[in-house]
Amino acid sequence: MINRILIHNTKTTNNNYHLLHSLWQAFKETSLQIQISQPQTLQLFIKNFQPELIICFGGEQISPTIENLKSPNTKWILWTTEDPFEINFNKQIAKHFDIVLTSDKASQNLYSHPHCYYLPLAASKNWFYHPVIKQPSKLLYDLIFIGTAWPNRTKFLKELISLLKQNHLTSRFILPTNPHIPQNTLSDVDIIKFERDFRLAPTDLANLQNHSLFALTLFRDFSGDGNPRPQSSPTNRFYETALAGTGQIIVSNDINIPEFYPEIKDHIFQLQNAREIIDTITYIKQNPEIRNYAASSVQQFVIDNHSYSHRVKELLKIVDNLNN
C-alpha cells in the first residue's frame, strides 16, 4: 500500500513549473502524503520523507546516478514531458525506472521497457479556467497566439500575420525565444521586438486567451539535438487553452484532435493553412454563437475528462497493477 509519494522536479530551470504544481495539487486532493523535491534536495527527501513512490517529472536532465538512490521499498516512475524531442536521452535513462510514462503517444513504441504507458499531460482549473466570454464587444482580439517561435513555424506565422492585417482583423502574437533557436529566426516576422522578449505567467496567458475570439494552437516540430520528430498527440497547451474559455484553431499535419477525441470533433476548428484561418474568423465574427457553443463544449469536455486529478487516478491504477 502506497501512502507517501515524492514528486521530483528533474529540471534545474523549469519554465513549465505550473505542470509540476498542478500534479502536486491533484495529489493533495487524495488521502496520500505528497511532497516535491528539487534536483539538489532529492537525497534529503528520500532520507527524511521515505517515499514509497517517486515520480521523476520531466525527464531529460536526470542523471543516471539516480540508480544509486534506489531501494527495494520504493517504486520509481519516469514521466516524460519533452517526448519526442528528448526521446534519445529519455530512452537511455528509462532502464533505471520501474514504470515509464510518456506524454507523446507515438513515443511509447520507441521505449524498450516492459512497463511503458502513454499518459498525456492535462490542465488545472486553478491556473487556467475562465468562463467563456460570449459578448463580442468584450473581446480584445480576433486571434491570439502565445508560443515559442520554433523555426518550423516562422514562414506560416509571417504569412498569417500579413493576412490578418490585410483583412483588418485584430491579433496578438507573443513569441518568446530560447537558446536553441537561431538569433535571426524572427528577423522578418512583422511584430514589434517587445513581443519576442518576455514570457507570460500561465494565469496571464489564460486571461489573454479568454479575451480573444480564437486562440491558435500549433504543435512543435523542432528538437535541440538536431533530430526533430513531430509531436503525435495533444499537449498540455491544448487542454489549457480549452479551460481558458476560447475558440481553438488548431493547425497540424501530424495531430488530428478529432481522432483522439471524437466527442468534440464538431467543436474543434482544425484547419490547414493561413487562408482558412482568415476565412473562419471572418465567418465566426458574423456567427459568434457557433464559436461560443464550441468553446463551452470543449471546455466542459476537458473539465470532465482531462484534469490532473484524472491523470493521478490513471497513474495510481498503473502502479497498483504493477504491484499486483
Side-chain angles (χ1 to χ4, degrees):
M1 181 70 178
I2 291 174
N3 291 304
R4 294 184 302 279
I5 298 177
L6 180 65
I7 302 174
H8 178 56
N9 173 32
T10 66
K11 299 187 179 185
T12 52
T13 301
N14 194 340
N15 290 323
N16 289 312
Y17 194 80
H18 72 281
L19 303 180
L20 195 78
H21 188 268
S22 298
L23 182 61
W24 173 79
Q25 285 179 317
F27 269 112
K28 292 285 284 185
E29 296 171 3
T30 71
S31 59
L32 302 172
Q33 298 180 54
I34 183 74
Q35 296 285 353
I36 295 180
S37 65
Q38 305 299 333
Q40 69 276 15
T41 61
L42 176 59
Q43 293 187 54
L44 183 65
F45 272 89
I46 290 176
K47 178 181 178 181
N48 294 335
F49 184 53
Q50 298 184 357
E52 293 140 330
L53 179 67
I54 298 176
I55 304 167
C56 290
F57 190 76
E60 70 280 2
Q61 293 183 12
I62 297 175
S63 169
T65 59
I66 64 161
E67 181 68 22
N68 302 326
L69 302 176
K70 295 183 70 176
S71 71
N73 299 323
T74 305
K75 289 286 188 291
W76 288 68
I77 291 179
L78 170 66
W79 190 355
T80 68
T81 60
E82 290 295 322
D83 281 344
F85 314 111
E86 302 293 345
I87 186 69
N88 291 332
F89 186 83
N90 289 338
K91 284 166 60 178
Q92 294 176 30
I93 62 173
K95 62 185 178 183
H96 301 295
F97 291 85
D98 300 295
I99 296 171
V100 175
L101 307 174
T102 176
S103 59
D104 180 69
K105 188 171 181 59
S107 295
Q108 182 181 358
N109 297 326
L110 300 178
Y111 284 93
S112 299
H113 194 285
H115 303 289
C116 180
Y117 304 88
Y118 166 57
L119 189 65
L121 300 173
S124 168
K125 288 181 68 175
N126 292 331
W127 288 89
F128 291 97
Y129 177 77
H130 289 273
V132 176
I133 295 176
K134 297 184 178 181
Q135 302 93 328
S137 61
K138 294 186 177 181
L139 298 174
L140 298 176
Y141 306 105
D142 296 319
L143 181 69
I144 190 166
F145 176 71
I146 303 168
T148 306
W150 301 112
N152 68 292
R153 295 174 172 175
T154 53
K155 181 180 178 181
F156 170 77
L157 291 174
K158 180 180 179 181
E159 178 187 6
L160 177 58
I161 290 169
S162 177
L163 283 174
L164 287 164
K165 292 182 177 181
Q166 291 174 26
N167 288 271
H168 307 290
L169 298 173
T170 58
S171 64
R172 187 164 186 193
F173 290 77
I174 298 176
L175 309 175
T177 60
N178 68 44
H180 298 293
I181 300 177
Q183 291 283 329
N184 62 349
T185 297
L186 293 173
S187 60
D188 60 350
V189 176
D190 187 18
I191 61 172
I192 59 175
K193 189 174 186 299
F194 171 71
E195 300 285 63
R196 312 176 198 174
D197 293 341
F198 74 100
R199 289 183 178 273
L200 283 173
T203 48
D204 293 331
L205 181 153
N207 186 53
L208 281 174
Q209 290 177 327
N210 181 248
H211 284 82
S212 303
L213 184 69
F214 283 107
L216 174 63
T217 297
L218 301 176
F219 295 103
R220 178 176 161 190
D221 186 7
F222 180 82
S223 175
D225 70 1
N227 186 24
R229 295 179 176 88
Q231 288 170 316
S232 68
S233 49
T235 67
N236 57 293
R237 184 58 63 85
F238 166 72
Y239 307 110
E240 292 165 359
T241 302
L243 284 192
T246 184
Q248 193 165 178
I249 289 176
I250 297 168
V251 178
S252 174
N253 294 322
D254 302 294
I255 302 175
N256 188 335
I257 298 295
E259 285 185 0
F260 277 86
Y261 306 125
E263 305 97 317
I264 55 172
K265 64 182 178 63
D266 295 330
H267 309 306
I268 292 292
F269 299 83
Q270 183 133 3
L271 307 176
Q272 297 297 316
N273 54 58
R275 184 71 256 177
E276 287 186 1
I277 293 176
I278 300 301
D279 292 343
T280 297
I281 294 174
T282 302
Y283 176 74
I284 292 299
K285 283 174 70 72
Q286 301 302 316
N287 301 275
E289 69 281 355
I290 296 175
R291 172 265 186 191
N292 293 341
Y293 184 67
S296 298
S297 298
V298 177
Q299 184 182 67
Q300 191 62 49
F301 172 76
V302 169
I303 291 172
D304 292 342
N305 300 279
H306 297 285
S307 71
Y308 280 95
S309 294
H310 293 104
R311 301 298 185 255
V312 162
K313 291 177 182 178
E314 293 180 63
L315 185 154
L316 293 175
K317 183 177 179 180
I318 290 170
V319 174
D320 187 55
N321 289 338
L322 179 66
N323 290 336
N324 295 330

